[in-house]
């Protein structure tokens, strides 16, 4: 029920293993029980001193933020050796060789690059980020050190850039909700090794489970190439492929066990004001098309995909979004040549719809099979790119719907060509990317104003 509760309201108070937010420190209470982890002090002046000492760009201190005991001197602790004395400040860091006599200097200039990074992130124009810009950004943020989740724990903007989760707190809440299922990942890896075992291949460095999940989120959020991910994490491209396959299967199994379809009365409880003219709308249907790498030979025996035109190297899926922002329906993928009418009939959506239900679709969408429902086909769904700033009800609804669908489509994975190594998992990747939208953001309905910021 934890996942279901998290999906429905996304307001639960989660706890998790503690991690150090200091740059270049990978300490975690899960893997190092000898350390203690300390909250930032409530006193504003002392907290500011901590932040200045830590020297983390754009550090956002949250209830999850911790500094581990490695960064305090022995004199900072009370007699029990675990509690800090009042006024203690972290002073021992990687950049001063953990020595109080060292001069603490900033990792880099605070002007220029920082402002440039902030401007780039404020725009959130992820689609325009080139591979070169991405590598430069990563190099600047990490200082060339080990890439992983904790490197960006202090910045919600960086977390959103690399994962699409709106904040570090949301991401850690999601991790907590699935963490007790992680042994299933180990089991999946063991099965893969049994099938693909090769004693001639030397063992490769392994990542912590939370960083493996972070890698998958990087792939879905940024549509990065496997080689680029391998370079970032210091592993082989084949290992990247294995991690993406394992974790997409895992999340497909865990998240897919949650019933995401929401009943009409529950949707009405969270109906946004923009939908007053469409108050009985249960679902907004939209299509998604994915491209996959064209096989160079007859890799798929029994299928003629390799002999078809490039335009046939696509797959199409149907997904549905509730007016308040939750993804409530995801179909399997079908060949790109399939017609929309066939897509609707085979997707399974008809089994969920009842007579009189409100369904919003794009103009031109076949509605014969939806005839028993109340069909809304507003112009703004066809002209979303032409929406103006007019303050009328239909335009506000159009902006709202654009935002709902955009939250799904914002995963750059959908804009890339799926490599052949991942073709066997394309349904899982597509489904997981859609489902993650329910955990990455808050709801957009009336309850939005009630959620704490």
């Amino acid at each position: 029920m934890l996942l279901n509760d998290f999906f429905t309201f996304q307001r639960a108070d989660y706890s998790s293993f503690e991690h150090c937010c200091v740059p270049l420190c990978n300490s975690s209470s899960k893997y190092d029980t000898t350390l203690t982890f300390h909250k930032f002090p409530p006193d504003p002046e002392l907290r500011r001193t901590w932040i200045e000492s830590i020297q983390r760009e754009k550090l956002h201190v949250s209830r999850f933020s911790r500094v581990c005991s490695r960064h305090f001197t022995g004199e900072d602790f009370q007699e029990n050796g675990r509690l800090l004395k009042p006024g203690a400040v972290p002073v021992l860091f990687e950049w001063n060789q953990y020595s109080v006599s060292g001069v603490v200097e900033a990792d880099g200039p605070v002007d220029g690059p920082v402002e440039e990074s902030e401007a780039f992130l404020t725009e959130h124009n992820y689609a325009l980020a080139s591979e070169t810009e991405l590598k430069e950004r990563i190099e600047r943020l990490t200082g060339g050190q080990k890439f992983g989740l904790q490197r960006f724990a202090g910045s919600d903007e960086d977390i959103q850039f690399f994962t699409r989760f709106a904040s570090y707190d949301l991401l850690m809440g999601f991790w907590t909700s699935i963490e007790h299922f992680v042994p299933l990942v180990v089991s999946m890896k063991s099965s893969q090794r049994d099938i693909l075992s090769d004693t001639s291949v030397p063992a490769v460095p392994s990542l912590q489970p939370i960083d493996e999940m972070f890698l998958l989120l990087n792939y879905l959020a940024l549509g990065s190439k496997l080689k680029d991910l391998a370079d970032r994490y210091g592993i082989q491209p084949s290992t990247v492929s294995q991690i993406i396959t394992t974790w997409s299967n895992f999340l497909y199994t865990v998240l897919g066990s949650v019933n995401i379809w929401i009943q009409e009365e529950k949707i009405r409880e969270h109906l946004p004001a923009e939908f007053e003219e469409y108050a009985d709308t249960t679902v907004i249907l939209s299509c998604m098309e994915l491209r996959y790498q064209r096989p160079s030979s007859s890799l798929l025996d029994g299928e003629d995909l390799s002999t078809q035109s490039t335009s046939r190297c696509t797959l199409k899926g149907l997904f549905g979004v509730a007016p308040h922002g939750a993804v409530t329906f995801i179909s399997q993928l079908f060949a790109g040549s399939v017609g929309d009418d066939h897509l609707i009939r085979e997707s399974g959506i008809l089994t969920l719809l009842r007579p009189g239900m409100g369904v919003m679709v794009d103009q031109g969408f076949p509605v014969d099979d939806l005839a028993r429902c109340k069909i809304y086909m507003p112009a703004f769904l066809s002209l979303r790119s032409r929406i103006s700033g007019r303050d009328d009800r239909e335009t506000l609804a159009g902006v709202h719907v654009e935002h709902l669908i955009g939250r799904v489509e914002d995963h750059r994975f959908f804009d890339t060509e799926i490599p052949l190594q991942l073709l066997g998992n394309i349904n899982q990747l597509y489904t997981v990317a859609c489902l993650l939208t329910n955990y990455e953001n808050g709801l957009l309905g009336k309850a939005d104003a009630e959620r704490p910021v």
Side-chain angles (χ1 to χ4, degrees):
M1 293 299 296
L2 179 61
L3 278 173
N4 200 20
D5 293 341
F6 184 80
F7 159 71
T8 305
F9 299 107
Q10 302 183 20
R11 296 181 198 165
D13 184 18
Y14 296 101
S15 62
S16 181
F17 291 103
E18 295 172 313
H19 309 274
C20 185
C21 69
V22 173
L24 311 182
C25 183
N26 295 316
S27 298
S28 168
S29 63
K30 183 173 183 179
Y31 306 107
D32 196 335
T33 58
T34 63
L35 298 176
T36 54
F37 292 79
H38 305 277
K39 296 180 180 179
F40 279 70
D43 178 72
E45 289 300 322
L46 184 57
R47 175 177 289 215
R48 187 177 301 110
T49 302
W50 276 40
I51 294 173
E52 292 174 353
S53 180
I54 289 170
Q55 300 186 25
R56 182 164 203 144
E57 295 179 3
K58 300 175 291 179
L59 174 64
H60 169 68
V61 178
S62 72
R63 58 195 176 98
F64 288 103
S65 301
R66 299 288 188 275
V67 177
C68 76
S69 54
R70 296 179 65 200
H71 306 293
F72 297 90
T73 68
E75 298 177 352
D76 289 328
F77 291 90
Q78 299 182 23
E79 291 183 1
N80 61 14
R82 298 189 70 83
L83 297 178
L84 291 174
K85 294 179 180 178
V89 175
V91 294
L92 305 178
F93 303 106
E94 175 85 15
W95 55 84
N96 62 14
Q97 288 77 49
Y98 292 93
S99 171
V100 292
S101 61
V103 179
V104 178
E105 298 180 354
D107 286 339
V110 295
D111 298 322
V114 176
E115 295 176 357
E116 177 184 337
S117 175
E118 289 174 346
F120 176 73
L121 284 169
T122 302
E123 296 173 2
H124 294 300
N125 196 356
Y126 308 118
L128 299 180
S130 67
E131 290 294 321
T132 301
E133 291 172 325
L134 189 57
K135 289 179 179 178
E136 290 177 352
R137 172 191 176 81
I138 293 167
E139 191 70 20
R140 182 168 67 249
L141 291 172
T142 66
Q145 299 297 316
K146 181 180 178 182
F147 193 93
L149 172 61
Q150 289 309 307
R151 192 66 64 206
F152 309 103
S155 171
D156 286 345
E157 290 177 313
D158 293 331
I159 291 296
Q160 186 170 28
F161 179 85
F162 287 107
T163 71
R164 295 301 180 266
F165 275 81
S167 68
Y168 177 73
D169 287 4
L170 270 177
L171 178 56
M172 292 310 296
F174 174 73
W175 171 253
T176 301
S177 71
I178 67 169
E179 192 172 15
H180 58 290
F181 294 116
V182 167
L184 181 59
V185 174
V186 178
S187 177
M188 289 178 172
K189 285 182 177 178
S190 298
S191 298
Q192 288 181 342
R193 280 196 298 268
D194 291 341
I195 296 173
L196 303 174
S197 59
D198 184 353
T199 56
S200 65
V201 179
V204 295
S206 59
L207 304 178
Q208 297 293 349
I210 196 168
D211 282 331
E212 291 188 343
M213 184 190 74
F214 189 59
L215 184 152
L216 172 67
L217 296 179
N218 295 167
Y219 175 67
L220 296 177
L222 301 172
S224 303
K225 298 183 184 303
L226 302 188
K227 179 64 166 63
D228 179 52
L229 288 169
D231 291 343
R232 285 190 225 170
Y233 287 88
I235 55 180
Q236 295 297 319
S238 59
T239 306
V240 171
S241 177
Q242 181 187 24
I243 290 173
I244 292 175
T245 298
T246 302
W247 275 86
S248 59
N249 282 330
F250 166 68
L251 292 179
Y252 180 82
T253 301
V254 174
L255 303 185
S257 66
V258 178
N259 179 19
I260 62 174
W261 183 255
I262 301 177
Q263 298 303 317
E264 299 168 83
E265 58 273 11
K266 205 68 175 176
I267 289 178
R268 283 194 289 271
E269 289 180 15
H270 299 280
L271 191 73
E274 295 89 341
F275 264 73
E276 290 180 0
E277 292 293 318
Y278 314 97
D280 54 359
T281 299
T282 302
V283 64
I284 305 157
L285 296 179
S286 184
C287 287
M288 179 75 71
E289 189 170 83
L290 288 81
R291 295 179 295 114
Y292 59 87
Q293 186 178 350
R294 180 180 173 84
S296 58
S297 61
S298 305
L299 296 178
L300 303 176
D301 293 338
E303 299 185 28
D304 60 354
L305 292 176
S306 61
T307 61
Q308 300 299 323
S309 63
T310 304
S311 62
R312 294 290 302 278
C313 293
T314 60
L315 295 167
K316 186 186 297 183
L318 185 71
F319 70 93
V321 184
H324 64 281
V327 174
T328 59
F329 176 79
I330 308 167
S331 77
Q332 69 179 71
L333 293 172
F334 299 85
S337 58
V338 69
D340 288 343
D341 52 348
H342 180 79
L343 180 61
I344 290 177
R345 287 195 299 271
E346 297 299 323
S347 67
I349 186 65
L350 297 179
T351 63
L352 299 172
L353 301 178
R354 297 201 301 268
M357 251 185 201
V359 178
M360 187 173 287
V361 296
D362 195 348
Q363 286 190 343
F365 210 80
V367 295
D368 291 345
D369 292 307
L370 304 174
R372 58 179 181 158
C373 299
K374 189 172 182 179
I375 305 299
Y376 292 116
M377 201 176 287
F380 57 69
L381 272 179
S382 291
L383 304 174
R384 292 184 306 184
S385 61
R386 303 180 190 176
I387 291 177
S388 66
R390 295 178 302 156
D391 188 19
D392 59 66
R393 191 174 300 277
E394 182 170 283
T395 301
L396 289 175
V399 171
H400 185 80
V401 172
E402 169 76 6
H403 184 45
L404 298 186
I405 296 176
R407 296 207 304 183
V408 180
E409 296 176 342
D410 194 39
H411 296 86
R412 297 277 69 85
F413 154 75
F414 292 127
D415 298 332
T416 61
E417 186 178 72
I418 313 302
L420 288 177
Q421 302 98 300
L422 301 177
L423 187 56
N425 262 57
I426 195 168
N427 255 302
Q428 290 90 326
L429 288 165
Y430 161 68
T431 302
V432 168
C434 292
L435 286 174
L436 283 173
T437 307
N438 292 335
Y439 304 90
E440 295 166 351
N441 310 272
L443 303 178
L444 296 180
K446 290 179 179 178
D448 192 50
E450 302 172 6
R451 290 198 323 277
V453 177

PDB file of all heavy atoms in Angstrom, residues 307-333:
ATOM      1  N   THR A 307      14.021  -5.054 -43.335  1.00  0.00           N
ATOM      2  CA  THR A 307      13.872  -4.812 -44.763  1.00  0.00           C
ATOM      3  C   THR A 307      12.886  -3.700 -45.046  1.00  0.00           C
ATOM      4  O   THR A 307      12.646  -3.360 -46.196  1.00  0.00           O
ATOM      5  CB  THR A 307      13.382  -6.092 -45.467  1.00  0.00           C
ATOM      6  OG1 THR A 307      12.104  -6.468 -44.930  1.00  0.00           O
ATOM      7  CG2 THR A 307      14.370  -7.226 -45.253  1.00  0.00           C
ATOM      8  N   GLN A 308      12.295  -3.130 -43.980  1.00  0.00           N
ATOM      9  CA  GLN A 308      11.321  -2.077 -44.172  1.00  0.00           C
ATOM     10  C   GLN A 308      12.031  -0.729 -44.245  1.00  0.00           C
ATOM     11  O   GLN A 308      13.208  -0.587 -43.924  1.00  0.00           O
ATOM     12  CB  GLN A 308      10.315  -2.070 -43.012  1.00  0.00           C
ATOM     13  CG  GLN A 308       9.541  -3.370 -42.876  1.00  0.00           C
ATOM     14  CD  GLN A 308       8.710  -3.679 -44.102  1.00  0.00           C
ATOM     15  OE1 GLN A 308       8.150  -2.786 -44.726  1.00  0.00           O
ATOM     16  NE2 GLN A 308       8.646  -4.957 -44.465  1.00  0.00           N
ATOM     17  N   SER A 309      11.269   0.279 -44.621  1.00  0.00           N
ATOM     18  CA  SER A 309      11.818   1.623 -44.697  1.00  0.00           C
ATOM     19  C   SER A 309      12.091   2.141 -43.294  1.00  0.00           C
ATOM     20  O   SER A 309      11.570   1.642 -42.305  1.00  0.00           O
ATOM     21  CB  SER A 309      10.823   2.558 -45.394  1.00  0.00           C
ATOM     22  OG  SER A 309       9.632   2.653 -44.644  1.00  0.00           O
ATOM     23  N   THR A 310      12.911   3.197 -43.219  1.00  0.00           N
ATOM     24  CA  THR A 310      13.264   3.759 -41.935  1.00  0.00           C
ATOM     25  C   THR A 310      12.034   4.220 -41.176  1.00  0.00           C
ATOM     26  O   THR A 310      11.983   4.171 -39.945  1.00  0.00           O
ATOM     27  CB  THR A 310      14.244   4.942 -42.125  1.00  0.00           C
ATOM     28  OG1 THR A 310      15.374   4.476 -42.858  1.00  0.00           O
ATOM     29  CG2 THR A 310      14.676   5.513 -40.789  1.00  0.00           C
ATOM     30  N   SER A 311      11.003   4.684 -41.878  1.00  0.00           N
ATOM     31  CA  SER A 311       9.807   5.176 -41.218  1.00  0.00           C
ATOM     32  C   SER A 311       9.088   4.099 -40.436  1.00  0.00           C
ATOM     33  O   SER A 311       8.274   4.386 -39.573  1.00  0.00           O
ATOM     34  CB  SER A 311       8.851   5.776 -42.253  1.00  0.00           C
ATOM     35  OG  SER A 311       8.438   4.782 -43.176  1.00  0.00           O
ATOM     36  N   ARG A 312       9.391   2.828 -40.730  1.00  0.00           N
ATOM     37  CA  ARG A 312       8.739   1.742 -40.013  1.00  0.00           C
ATOM     38  C   ARG A 312       9.444   1.422 -38.699  1.00  0.00           C
ATOM     39  O   ARG A 312       8.957   0.614 -37.922  1.00  0.00           O
ATOM     40  CB  ARG A 312       8.700   0.483 -40.903  1.00  0.00           C
ATOM     41  CG  ARG A 312       7.824   0.611 -42.141  1.00  0.00           C
ATOM     42  CD  ARG A 312       6.359   0.654 -41.755  1.00  0.00           C
ATOM     43  NE  ARG A 312       5.957  -0.519 -40.998  1.00  0.00           N
ATOM     44  CZ  ARG A 312       5.626  -1.683 -41.564  1.00  0.00           C
ATOM     45  NH1 ARG A 312       5.651  -1.820 -42.874  1.00  0.00           N
ATOM     46  NH2 ARG A 312       5.244  -2.704 -40.812  1.00  0.00           N
ATOM     47  N   CYS A 313      10.597   2.035 -38.463  1.00  0.00           N
ATOM     48  CA  CYS A 313      11.337   1.768 -37.232  1.00  0.00           C
ATOM     49  C   CYS A 313      10.807   2.624 -36.093  1.00  0.00           C
ATOM     50  O   CYS A 313      11.551   3.329 -35.405  1.00  0.00           O
ATOM     51  CB  CYS A 313      12.829   2.018 -37.446  1.00  0.00           C
ATOM     52  SG  CYS A 313      13.600   0.866 -38.585  1.00  0.00           S
ATOM     53  N   THR A 314       9.515   2.583 -35.914  1.00  0.00           N
ATOM     54  CA  THR A 314       8.870   3.329 -34.851  1.00  0.00           C
ATOM     55  C   THR A 314       7.843   2.455 -34.158  1.00  0.00           C
ATOM     56  O   THR A 314       7.353   1.479 -34.713  1.00  0.00           O
ATOM     57  CB  THR A 314       8.162   4.589 -35.397  1.00  0.00           C
ATOM     58  OG1 THR A 314       7.170   4.195 -36.358  1.00  0.00           O
ATOM     59  CG2 THR A 314       9.149   5.542 -36.033  1.00  0.00           C
ATOM     60  N   LEU A 315       7.554   2.831 -32.935  1.00  0.00           N
ATOM     61  CA  LEU A 315       6.529   2.171 -32.148  1.00  0.00           C
ATOM     62  C   LEU A 315       5.608   3.239 -31.578  1.00  0.00           C
ATOM     63  O   LEU A 315       6.040   4.373 -31.325  1.00  0.00           O
ATOM     64  CB  LEU A 315       7.145   1.352 -31.016  1.00  0.00           C
ATOM     65  CG  LEU A 315       8.015   0.165 -31.444  1.00  0.00           C
ATOM     66  CD1 LEU A 315       8.816  -0.366 -30.264  1.00  0.00           C
ATOM     67  CD2 LEU A 315       7.160  -0.947 -32.043  1.00  0.00           C
ATOM     68  N   LYS A 316       4.355   2.892 -31.378  1.00  0.00           N
ATOM     69  CA  LYS A 316       3.367   3.867 -30.941  1.00  0.00           C
ATOM     70  C   LYS A 316       2.624   3.339 -29.715  1.00  0.00           C
ATOM     71  O   LYS A 316       2.290   2.154 -29.641  1.00  0.00           O
ATOM     72  CB  LYS A 316       2.369   4.134 -32.076  1.00  0.00           C
ATOM     73  CG  LYS A 316       1.362   5.249 -31.786  1.00  0.00           C
ATOM     74  CD  LYS A 316       0.321   5.352 -32.887  1.00  0.00           C
ATOM     75  CE  LYS A 316       0.935   5.730 -34.209  1.00  0.00           C
ATOM     76  NZ  LYS A 316      -0.115   5.896 -35.261  1.00  0.00           N
ATOM     77  N   GLY A 317       2.392   4.225 -28.761  1.00  0.00           N
ATOM     78  CA  GLY A 317       1.653   3.853 -27.559  1.00  0.00           C
ATOM     79  C   GLY A 317       0.618   4.905 -27.213  1.00  0.00           C
ATOM     80  O   GLY A 317       0.694   6.056 -27.659  1.00  0.00           O
ATOM     81  N   LEU A 318      -0.354   4.510 -26.414  1.00  0.00           N
ATOM     82  CA  LEU A 318      -1.412   5.401 -25.954  1.00  0.00           C
ATOM     83  C   LEU A 318      -1.252   5.588 -24.451  1.00  0.00           C
ATOM     84  O   LEU A 318      -0.992   4.627 -23.724  1.00  0.00           O
ATOM     85  CB  LEU A 318      -2.785   4.790 -26.261  1.00  0.00           C
ATOM     86  CG  LEU A 318      -4.021   5.643 -25.965  1.00  0.00           C
ATOM     87  CD1 LEU A 318      -4.122   6.786 -26.973  1.00  0.00           C
ATOM     88  CD2 LEU A 318      -5.285   4.787 -26.015  1.00  0.00           C
ATOM     89  N   PHE A 319      -1.349   6.822 -23.993  1.00  0.00           N
ATOM     90  CA  PHE A 319      -1.334   7.045 -22.552  1.00  0.00           C
ATOM     91  C   PHE A 319      -2.428   8.045 -22.186  1.00  0.00           C
ATOM     92  O   PHE A 319      -2.875   8.843 -23.018  1.00  0.00           O
ATOM     93  CB  PHE A 319       0.039   7.515 -22.053  1.00  0.00           C
ATOM     94  CG  PHE A 319       0.431   8.912 -22.467  1.00  0.00           C
ATOM     95  CD1 PHE A 319       0.155  10.002 -21.650  1.00  0.00           C
ATOM     96  CD2 PHE A 319       1.090   9.135 -23.670  1.00  0.00           C
ATOM     97  CE1 PHE A 319       0.527  11.288 -22.023  1.00  0.00           C
ATOM     98  CE2 PHE A 319       1.467  10.411 -24.048  1.00  0.00           C
ATOM     99  CZ  PHE A 319       1.178  11.498 -23.222  1.00  0.00           C
ATOM    100  N   GLY A 320      -2.873   7.965 -20.939  1.00  0.00           N
ATOM    101  CA  GLY A 320      -3.926   8.842 -20.469  1.00  0.00           C
ATOM    102  C   GLY A 320      -3.521   9.567 -19.205  1.00  0.00           C
ATOM    103  O   GLY A 320      -2.814   9.024 -18.353  1.00  0.00           O
ATOM    104  N   VAL A 321      -3.950  10.819 -19.091  1.00  0.00           N
ATOM    105  CA  VAL A 321      -3.632  11.665 -17.940  1.00  0.00           C
ATOM    106  C   VAL A 321      -4.926  12.194 -17.347  1.00  0.00           C
ATOM    107  O   VAL A 321      -5.824  12.625 -18.085  1.00  0.00           O
ATOM    108  CB  VAL A 321      -2.729  12.845 -18.364  1.00  0.00           C
ATOM    109  CG1 VAL A 321      -2.324  13.678 -17.158  1.00  0.00           C
ATOM    110  CG2 VAL A 321      -1.497  12.356 -19.104  1.00  0.00           C
ATOM    111  N   ALA A 322      -5.043  12.158 -16.031  1.00  0.00           N
ATOM    112  CA  ALA A 322      -6.197  12.738 -15.352  1.00  0.00           C
ATOM    113  C   ALA A 322      -6.053  14.258 -15.314  1.00  0.00           C
ATOM    114  O   ALA A 322      -4.940  14.787 -15.406  1.00  0.00           O
ATOM    115  CB  ALA A 322      -6.310  12.192 -13.934  1.00  0.00           C
ATOM    116  N   PRO A 323      -7.148  14.998 -15.176  1.00  0.00           N
ATOM    117  CA  PRO A 323      -7.063  16.460 -15.183  1.00  0.00           C
ATOM    118  C   PRO A 323      -6.141  17.048 -14.126  1.00  0.00           C
ATOM    119  O   PRO A 323      -5.593  18.126 -14.319  1.00  0.00           O
ATOM    120  CB  PRO A 323      -8.521  16.894 -14.942  1.00  0.00           C
ATOM    121  CG  PRO A 323      -9.343  15.776 -15.475  1.00  0.00           C
ATOM    122  CD  PRO A 323      -8.556  14.533 -15.163  1.00  0.00           C
ATOM    123  N   HIS A 324      -5.937  16.342 -12.996  1.00  0.00           N
ATOM    124  CA  HIS A 324      -5.077  16.889 -11.947  1.00  0.00           C
ATOM    125  C   HIS A 324      -3.615  16.498 -12.130  1.00  0.00           C
ATOM    126  O   HIS A 324      -2.776  16.864 -11.311  1.00  0.00           O
ATOM    127  CB  HIS A 324      -5.564  16.440 -10.563  1.00  0.00           C
ATOM    128  CG  HIS A 324      -5.486  14.965 -10.331  1.00  0.00           C
ATOM    129  ND1 HIS A 324      -6.417  14.095 -10.828  1.00  0.00           N
ATOM    130  CD2 HIS A 324      -4.590  14.206  -9.658  1.00  0.00           C
ATOM    131  CE1 HIS A 324      -6.114  12.860 -10.461  1.00  0.00           C
ATOM    132  NE2 HIS A 324      -4.999  12.905  -9.754  1.00  0.00           N
ATOM    133  N   GLY A 325      -3.265  15.755 -13.173  1.00  0.00           N
ATOM    134  CA  GLY A 325      -1.860  15.536 -13.496  1.00  0.00           C
ATOM    135  C   GLY A 325      -1.350  14.127 -13.400  1.00  0.00           C
ATOM    136  O   GLY A 325      -0.238  13.858 -13.837  1.00  0.00           O
ATOM    137  N   ALA A 326      -2.118  13.207 -12.829  1.00  0.00           N
ATOM    138  CA  ALA A 326      -1.629  11.832 -12.677  1.00  0.00           C
ATOM    139  C   ALA A 326      -1.782  11.053 -13.979  1.00  0.00           C
ATOM    140  O   ALA A 326      -2.809  11.145 -14.649  1.00  0.00           O
ATOM    141  CB  ALA A 326      -2.397  11.119 -11.562  1.00  0.00           C
ATOM    142  N   VAL A 327      -0.744  10.302 -14.340  1.00  0.00           N
ATOM    143  CA  VAL A 327      -0.854   9.367 -15.461  1.00  0.00           C
ATOM    144  C   VAL A 327      -1.675   8.178 -14.985  1.00  0.00           C
ATOM    145  O   VAL A 327      -1.307   7.509 -14.020  1.00  0.00           O
ATOM    146  CB  VAL A 327       0.537   8.909 -15.935  1.00  0.00           C
ATOM    147  CG1 VAL A 327       0.412   7.819 -16.996  1.00  0.00           C
ATOM    148  CG2 VAL A 327       1.331  10.083 -16.490  1.00  0.00           C
ATOM    149  N   THR A 328      -2.800   7.928 -15.636  1.00  0.00           N
ATOM    150  CA  THR A 328      -3.728   6.893 -15.162  1.00  0.00           C
ATOM    151  C   THR A 328      -3.889   5.739 -16.142  1.00  0.00           C
ATOM    152  O   THR A 328      -4.575   4.759 -15.833  1.00  0.00           O
ATOM    153  CB  THR A 328      -5.118   7.498 -14.894  1.00  0.00           C
ATOM    154  OG1 THR A 328      -5.622   8.086 -16.101  1.00  0.00           O
ATOM    155  CG2 THR A 328      -5.042   8.565 -13.811  1.00  0.00           C
ATOM    156  N   PHE A 329      -3.265   5.854 -17.318  1.00  0.00           N
ATOM    157  CA  PHE A 329      -3.368   4.747 -18.283  1.00  0.00           C
ATOM    158  C   PHE A 329      -2.135   4.738 -19.179  1.00  0.00           C
ATOM    159  O   PHE A 329      -1.672   5.801 -19.630  1.00  0.00           O
ATOM    160  CB  PHE A 329      -4.622   4.888 -19.158  1.00  0.00           C
ATOM    161  CG  PHE A 329      -4.721   3.826 -20.214  1.00  0.00           C
ATOM    162  CD1 PHE A 329      -5.166   2.549 -19.901  1.00  0.00           C
ATOM    163  CD2 PHE A 329      -4.339   4.082 -21.531  1.00  0.00           C
ATOM    164  CE1 PHE A 329      -5.239   1.555 -20.863  1.00  0.00           C
ATOM    165  CE2 PHE A 329      -4.407   3.098 -22.495  1.00  0.00           C
ATOM    166  CZ  PHE A 329      -4.858   1.832 -22.165  1.00  0.00           C
ATOM    167  N   ILE A 330      -1.589   3.540 -19.414  1.00  0.00           N
ATOM    168  CA  ILE A 330      -0.457   3.362 -20.325  1.00  0.00           C
ATOM    169  C   ILE A 330      -0.690   2.066 -21.090  1.00  0.00           C
ATOM    170  O   ILE A 330      -0.856   1.000 -20.480  1.00  0.00           O
ATOM    171  CB  ILE A 330       0.882   3.248 -19.564  1.00  0.00           C
ATOM    172  CG1 ILE A 330       1.059   4.415 -18.601  1.00  0.00           C
ATOM    173  CG2 ILE A 330       2.059   3.189 -20.537  1.00  0.00           C
ATOM    174  CD1 ILE A 330       2.186   4.216 -17.599  1.00  0.00           C
ATOM    175  N   SER A 331      -0.696   2.143 -22.403  1.00  0.00           N
ATOM    176  CA  SER A 331      -0.863   0.933 -23.213  1.00  0.00           C
ATOM    177  C   SER A 331       0.496   0.320 -23.502  1.00  0.00           C
ATOM    178  O   SER A 331       1.534   0.928 -23.239  1.00  0.00           O
ATOM    179  CB  SER A 331      -1.562   1.265 -24.533  1.00  0.00           C
ATOM    180  OG  SER A 331      -0.654   1.869 -25.450  1.00  0.00           O
ATOM    181  N   GLN A 332       0.496  -0.881 -24.052  1.00  0.00           N
ATOM    182  CA  GLN A 332       1.730  -1.432 -24.580  1.00  0.00           C
ATOM    183  C   GLN A 332       2.052  -0.732 -25.892  1.00  0.00           C
ATOM    184  O   GLN A 332       1.239   0.039 -26.418  1.00  0.00           O
ATOM    185  CB  GLN A 332       1.581  -2.937 -24.811  1.00  0.00           C
ATOM    186  CG  GLN A 332       0.646  -3.302 -25.953  1.00  0.00           C
ATOM    187  CD  GLN A 332       0.543  -4.804 -26.163  1.00  0.00           C
ATOM    188  OE1 GLN A 332      -0.038  -5.518 -25.364  1.00  0.00           O
ATOM    189  NE2 GLN A 332       1.109  -5.265 -27.252  1.00  0.00           N
ATOM    190  N   LEU A 333       3.222  -0.961 -26.431  1.00  0.00           N
ATOM    191  CA  LEU A 333       3.629  -0.336 -27.686  1.00  0.00           C
ATOM    192  C   LEU A 333       3.216  -1.208 -28.870  1.00  0.00           C
ATOM    193  O   LEU A 333       3.254  -2.437 -28.793  1.00  0.00           O
ATOM    194  CB  LEU A 333       5.139  -0.118 -27.699  1.00  0.00           C
ATOM    195  CG  LEU A 333       5.663   0.909 -26.689  1.00  0.00           C
ATOM    196  CD1 LEU A 333       7.184   0.889 -26.652  1.00  0.00           C
ATOM    197  CD2 LEU A 333       5.156   2.301 -27.015  1.00  0.00           C
TER     198      LEU A 333
END
